[in-house]
Amino acid sequence: MSDSPNVIDPSRPWILDKRDNPATMDWIQTLFNPMGQSSKLHFSRAWTFMFMGRVLLYIVPTCVVAIIGIAGVKTGAFNSPVNLGPLPVPAMLVPFVLFVFLTEYTSFVAHMRRLAEAGRSTLLAGIVLLPLILGMVGFALGVTGGIAQHAQIEAKAALEREIAADPVKAAAARAEAEAKAKENPDAGPQDPRRGPPGKPQTAREMAIGGGVGLAVPIWMLTSFIVMLWTLLYVARMPNGGVGEFSTGSHIPENEARRRPYEVT
């Protein structure tokens, strides 16, 4: 492997394939053109940018707001919800959410290009969209459950109002409650230290809360599984589909002698 006449990148001597030359990488094409091809290193650089962008856009604002909150600065403006379509998002996380939706597309494009260059079916790139699709399904199911729960609460409240408005029904309800208390004397009264009940949630708030509560865990779990698939399979595929699965830009010695990357 030392018979290469020229060093591709002096700062990265481990790069043995000219297709992986960082100087030839076109970021716009790599991230937004699904019809092309990307070498192993170009794909890895794009994926690292997308991953680190998500991490930093979430961790940095969250930690900064937490620190200035501890210091006594009012952070209500940072936590105030901003509506992105049907989703209320804390103001400090708006860039993170927008970047996530953008990188869902760019990640799909990058995977298509990498699979095409390695001679694999580009249909496999659809795997990176599974977290978003399953998250949307979970959101829809959670919204349905939230609406149903709100309907139950409203029906119970309406029944209580009806009973309270009718003296006969109210007396019957009190008698039933006293009978239950006698049957179960161990059940003490409610904790008197509790504060007044909070403001009841609207149907929209309960629906969105249920949707987000179900969608986020599903999205996070499936995203982690897809990340493992990317790191262990897609990012390790050899350029041109020739050679062993490996990290970096390594070419087996017998292939380095043939220099397949010099074929035009």
Side-chain angles (χ1 to χ4, degrees):
M1 289 186 291
S2 61
D3 56 348
S4 179
N6 299 314
V7 177
I8 296 172
D9 188 338
S11 62
R12 301 175 181 87
W14 47 269
I15 297 179
L16 305 176
D17 191 332
K18 290 183 178 180
R19 290 170 293 188
D20 283 329
N21 187 352
T24 63
M25 180 177 178
D26 187 329
W27 283 90
I28 300 298
Q29 293 292 321
T30 302
L31 295 175
F32 295 101
N33 180 14
M35 296 297 105
Q37 297 181 352
S38 293
S39 66
K40 178 193 295 187
L41 182 60
H42 294 182
F43 169 81
S44 297
R45 296 179 80 198
W47 186 88
T48 302
F49 163 75
M50 291 182 282
F51 175 78
M52 292 305 301
R54 289 188 181 189
V55 171
L56 294 177
L57 285 174
Y58 182 84
I59 291 179
V60 172
T62 303
C63 292
V64 169
V65 171
I67 291 171
I68 64 177
I70 294 172
V73 179
K74 294 182 179 180
T75 59
F78 298 102
N79 293 308
S80 60
V82 175
N83 290 327
L84 294 180
L87 297 177
V89 179
M92 64 178 176
L93 293 181
V94 168
F96 166 75
V97 174
L98 293 177
F99 189 77
V100 165
F101 281 111
L102 174 65
T103 51
E104 288 290 340
Y105 172 73
T106 56
S107 179
F108 173 73
V109 170
H111 280 76
M112 279 196 67
R113 294 173 62 93
R114 178 82 274 267
L115 291 163
E117 198 279 337
R120 304 303 197 273
S121 172
T122 55
L123 294 177
L124 292 174
I127 292 176
V128 301
L129 299 178
L130 286 178
L132 180 62
I133 295 172
L134 294 178
M136 293 174 65
V137 172
F139 181 80
L141 294 175
V143 165
T144 303
I147 293 174
Q149 184 179 4
H150 184 268
Q152 292 177 355
I153 294 174
E154 284 295 309
K156 181 179 179 182
L159 179 61
E160 290 176 350
R161 288 193 296 268
E162 180 183 349
I163 292 174
D166 188 333
V168 177
K169 291 182 178 180
R174 284 195 298 269
E176 183 179 356
E178 291 174 359
K180 289 182 178 179
K182 291 180 181 179
E183 293 176 0
N184 190 12
D186 295 334
Q190 293 184 347
D191 190 349
R193 293 174 295 179
R194 289 185 180 179
K199 181 181 177 181
Q201 290 183 312
T202 64
R204 181 177 184 274
E205 290 173 342
M206 291 195 69
I208 292 178
V212 173
L214 184 60
V216 170
I218 293 175
W219 176 75
M220 293 181 65
L221 176 61
T222 52
S223 292
F224 178 74
I225 295 174
V226 171
M227 181 183 70
L228 293 179
W229 173 72
T230 296
L231 294 176
L232 300 178
Y233 178 72
V234 181
R236 298 178 68 243
M237 291 188 300
N239 286 337
V242 179
E244 299 177 356
F245 280 68
S246 60
T247 57
S249 182
H250 174 73
I251 299 178
E253 187 171 357
N254 60 332
E255 294 174 27
R257 291 196 185 99
R258 295 202 307 266
R259 297 197 180 108
Y261 50 81
E262 293 184 353
V263 177
T264 57

